[in-house]
Amino acid sequence: MAKLVLKAGSRPPWVGLAAAVWIQIAAGNAYNFPLYSSALKSVLGLNQQQVTILGVANDVGENLSLFPGIACNKFPPWALLLFGSVLCFFGYGVVWLALTQTVSNLPYILLWLALCVATNSGAWFGTAVLVTNMRNFRLSRGTISGILKGYVGISASVYTLIYSLLLKGSASKLLLFLTIGVSTVCLVLMYFIRPCTPPSGEDSSVHVHFIFTQASSILLATYLVTTTILSDMISINDSVSYILVSIMIIFMITPLAIPLKMTIFPAIQKTNVPLVGSEVSVSTQASPLIASSSTSAAYVGSFHENEDTSSDVEILIAEGEGAVRKKRRPKRGDDFKFKEAIVKADFWLLWFAYSLGVGSGVTVVNNLAQIGISLGVEDTTILLSVFSFCNFIGRLGAGAVSEHFVRSKTLPRTFWMSITQVTMIIAFLLYASALDGTLYAATALLGMCYGVQYSIMVATVSELFGLKHFGVISSFMMLGNPIGALVFSVFLAGNLYDTEAAKQGNSTCYGANCFRVTFLVLAGVCGIGTILSIILTVRIRAVYQMLYASGSFCQSRRIFCQAQCLPSFCSNYSMTI
């Protein structure tokens, strides 16, 4: 089994995280669909259902991450980023050719496939940086998922600002920027996304560095939404536009200050988690989470895995010699293979709860421009910016808040999924009421709750099923997004919108009735999701007590036996869930 030498030292993981910020913003390119969907509709003469189906292509591409999930265990991160850049260039290039009529009469199915390919680049970008950084910072999974998913959430505001100030609201220029600019950024930064020796969990500076990164991302998000609103209210000339965009770029490179500070003011390095093949010495006072991630830590040194063939052979030989008993099945909190995870009830409870939450949310995202127009808001850039800002806050906040409560109260992260889905019900009822002043409030609530779903799902998957096959399992979970979009956006929202527009004798629908029934149905969907997430929270409470409660005899035994590679001894002391 080929080994990949990890980049050693405490600084390289932070360099990779700083580069991941830019790539995660690039991975959010699918959120631009509301900015050019109206242009596609008018130039190509599409109806709303056809636009909605293109929105589904947008969601399918963004969340079809099974292939990058498999590839992340076979190839280094730079290979995934390279392939994603190619998809981005050719996919958005075809959409740009269609919108500018450079190639006229482009078949609708080809446009659908091109948009699917273009947005699928985000799945390759996101999988490469998320899996790599979750393994590089495996003791802070909630925090890392919150930060990285947060930057994906704020990416819509980044693109909106560029669209408004630099591109002057031109949809064709935006697509050209996505074709060339996004691909170039990822190609330049792909070298810096690489597996590293994880920083010590006992180093207090790690916590300070996370706080600094979170604070810088909040400042960026606040700056973006404020600037977007001001640019919509007042006229800004080209010189000021360039200055405002330059300030945005400064905020985006702020996380690079951490490795820069570590270079200028090097600290005495503490002992890191040992690599594969090194001598292991584990204290019984070690973090309980190490118990569930010890096999993940060993695995991080290898990308060319072939279903643990050599390891299985060694175990069979040892069994024949009577040295060990048969290898036990993984328990929740251990490293699962995909085929082992998919037969678990917890897996499907999480999948359905997540799918109902994000599927209903993405229905609003895909139709946000039309929702705004139907309620009298012609310029939807501020609406998209508000959604993006709150989406970011939800993602970042979910990571930080759930990390705090999971360590202090051993509270399962899915508890927050239940809370946010109840809040989504309120948001959909506000949309359905169509009262003055409720549009922006409902969009803010929905954006925040939509963001929470992502961060909670990512961290929960890593804790229930481990990091070894995290890429594949989390990628399958994300399929709930396009499936939800297909069911709720195309079959529900698109059909009802076109029916109401036909009653008005127009291709564009105006008034609260355009989406009212859709919002009421989505509120009921979130009610079902709430029930499922509550059931899941009750089921996995014992798992989180095992992983995070300190002083447990079973935890100490799990750490010791896994470190010494004695499966039979471990099976005697492992907690049965």
Side-chain angles (χ1 to χ4, degrees):
M1 190 158 42
K3 303 290 184 182
L4 182 67
V5 179
L6 304 186
K7 187 72 174 177
S10 60
R11 180 180 58 191
W14 297 101
V15 175
L17 183 60
V21 165
W22 284 72
I23 295 178
Q24 284 293 80
I25 291 175
N29 58 73
Y31 288 111
N32 290 294
F33 184 71
L35 296 178
Y36 59 82
S37 61
S38 296
L40 286 175
K41 182 178 181 180
S42 60
V43 172
L44 302 180
L46 307 177
N47 59 37
Q48 183 57 33
Q49 188 172 24
Q50 288 176 312
V51 174
T52 303
I53 293 174
L54 288 180
V56 172
N58 195 70
D59 298 319
V60 169
E62 180 189 11
N63 295 281
L64 190 60
S65 49
L66 275 177
F67 293 118
I70 295 171
C72 71
N73 282 357
K74 305 291 184 181
F75 303 99
W78 66 261
L80 275 70
L81 295 173
L82 175 62
F83 188 72
S85 299
V86 173
L87 294 180
C88 184
F89 179 83
F90 285 103
Y92 279 118
V94 171
V95 180
W96 175 79
L97 291 174
L99 182 62
T100 57
Q101 295 290 281
T102 303
V103 177
S104 58
N105 299 322
L106 194 70
Y108 179 81
I109 184 62
L110 182 57
L111 181 64
W112 192 94
L113 291 173
L115 191 56
C116 188
V117 168
T119 54
N120 188 237
S121 64
W124 292 84
F125 297 152
T127 300
V129 299
L130 182 62
V131 173
T132 303
N133 280 277
M134 288 284 279
R135 289 171 177 170
N136 288 350
F137 297 94
R138 65 182 180 276
L139 297 182
S140 304
R141 305 180 192 186
T143 304
I144 281 295
S145 66
I147 290 173
L148 293 181
K149 287 297 182 180
Y151 274 104
V152 175
I154 201 61
S155 63
S157 288
V158 173
Y159 290 119
T160 300
L161 193 67
I162 294 173
Y163 172 77
S164 301
L165 297 183
L166 295 186
L167 307 180
K168 305 303 180 184
S170 171
S172 61
K173 290 181 180 178
L174 175 63
L175 287 170
L176 186 60
F177 173 78
L178 295 174
T179 302
I180 300 175
V182 171
S183 303
T184 302
V185 167
C186 293
L187 288 174
V188 170
L189 295 176
M190 66 183 186
Y191 171 78
F192 299 100
I193 307 298
R194 57 187 304 178
C196 304
T197 302
S200 171
E202 301 299 323
D203 189 352
S204 61
S205 64
V206 172
H207 180 63
V208 175
H209 291 162
F210 278 135
I211 292 177
F212 175 82
T213 306
Q214 291 167 333
S216 64
S217 64
I218 292 173
L219 289 175
L220 171 62
T222 305
Y223 172 79
L224 288 170
V225 71
T226 303
T227 306
T228 301
I229 294 173
L230 289 176
S231 65
D232 187 74
M233 296 174 60
I234 61 176
S235 178
I236 298 177
N237 59 38
D238 291 344
S239 300
V240 176
S241 297
Y242 292 133
I243 293 173
L244 293 176
V245 173
S246 298
I247 295 173
M248 178 190 74
I249 293 174
I250 292 173
F251 278 120
M252 290 169 59
I253 65 175
T254 300
L256 193 60
I258 296 173
L260 185 62
K261 168 252 182 184
M262 298 173 77
T263 301
I264 300 175
F265 304 103
I268 298 176
Q269 300 296 322
K270 296 186 179 183
T271 304
N272 285 318
V273 178
L275 300 179
V276 178
S278 63
E279 201 171 326
V280 180
S281 176
V282 183
S283 168
T284 58
Q285 299 300 318
S287 170
L289 191 57
I290 298 178
S292 68
S293 62
S294 60
T295 51
S296 298
Y299 174 76
V300 77
S302 172
F303 276 83
H304 303 279
E305 176 230 337
N306 189 17
E307 295 298 324
D308 301 324
T309 304
S310 61
S311 175
D312 290 343
V313 171
E314 291 171 1
I315 291 174
L316 288 172
I317 294 174
E319 286 176 6
E321 297 173 351
V324 296
R325 291 200 295 269
K326 186 177 180 180
K327 187 178 180 182
R328 68 180 178 88
R329 292 181 179 179
K331 305 296 182 182
R332 289 179 294 184
D334 293 337
D335 283 320
F336 280 71
K337 295 178 182 179
F338 178 73
K339 62 184 180 181
E340 295 170 333
I342 201 171
V343 298
K344 297 296 182 181
D346 293 336
F347 179 94
W348 290 108
L349 280 171
L350 180 60
W351 190 88
F352 278 108
Y354 171 78
S355 300
L356 294 176
V358 298
S360 56
V362 79
T363 300
V364 175
V365 177
N366 289 345
N367 295 277
L368 193 58
Q370 287 71 36
I371 291 171
I373 292 172
S374 68
L375 297 178
V377 179
E378 293 295 335
D379 186 359
T380 57
T381 54
I382 294 181
L383 202 60
L384 180 60
S385 183
V386 169
F387 177 87
S388 175
F389 176 79
C390 294
N391 186 18
F392 158 77
I393 293 297
R395 294 179 186 226
L396 183 69
V401 172
S402 67
E403 190 76 14
H404 170 75
F405 280 96
V406 81
R407 293 185 180 277
S408 62
K409 305 293 184 182
T410 65
L411 184 65
R413 299 185 197 272
T414 49
F415 170 80
W416 304 104
M417 185 178 286
S418 306
I419 297 298
T420 53
Q421 288 182 342
V422 171
T423 308
M424 288 177 74
I425 296 175
I426 299 174
F428 286 129
L429 293 178
L430 286 176
Y431 275 121
S433 69
L435 298 174
D436 291 340
T438 59
L439 177 60
Y440 288 96
T443 301
L445 282 176
L446 187 71
M448 186 176 298
C449 297
Y450 182 75
V452 169
Q453 308 294 313
Y454 275 94
S455 293
I456 294 299
M457 182 276 289
V458 168
T460 301
V461 166
S462 74
E463 288 162 333
L464 292 182
F465 305 112
L467 286 173
K468 190 171 184 178
H469 299 279
F470 167 75
V472 178
I473 298 174
S474 63
S475 297
F476 187 88
M477 286 286 173
M478 290 183 182
L479 288 177
N481 194 312
I483 292 174
L486 178 64
V487 174
F488 304 129
S489 190
V490 176
F491 298 140
L492 180 66
N495 276 327
L496 292 178
Y497 180 94
D498 284 337
T499 300
E500 189 62 31
K503 291 180 181 178
Q504 299 178 7
N506 299 313
S507 60
T508 302
C509 181
Y510 296 97
N513 289 333
C514 299
F515 291 97
R516 176 167 285 152
V517 175
T518 298
F519 292 138
L520 293 176
V521 172
L522 294 180
V525 167
C526 284
I528 298 173
T530 302
I531 296 172
L532 294 178
S533 58
I534 290 174
I535 295 173
L536 179 60
T537 300
V538 173
R539 283 177 56 89
I540 64 177
R541 181 64 191 269
V543 182
Y544 279 84
Q545 290 174 341
M546 177 190 71
L547 293 179
Y548 289 98
S550 59
S552 169
F553 173 79
C554 290
Q555 292 162 4
S556 300
R557 282 294 156 193
R558 284 168 62 85
I559 297 171
F560 175 78
C561 67
Q562 288 180 354
Q564 297 299 322
C565 301
L566 298 176
S568 61
F569 180 69
C570 188
S571 63
N572 292 331
Y573 291 98
S574 62
M575 179 175 289
T576 302
I577 304 299

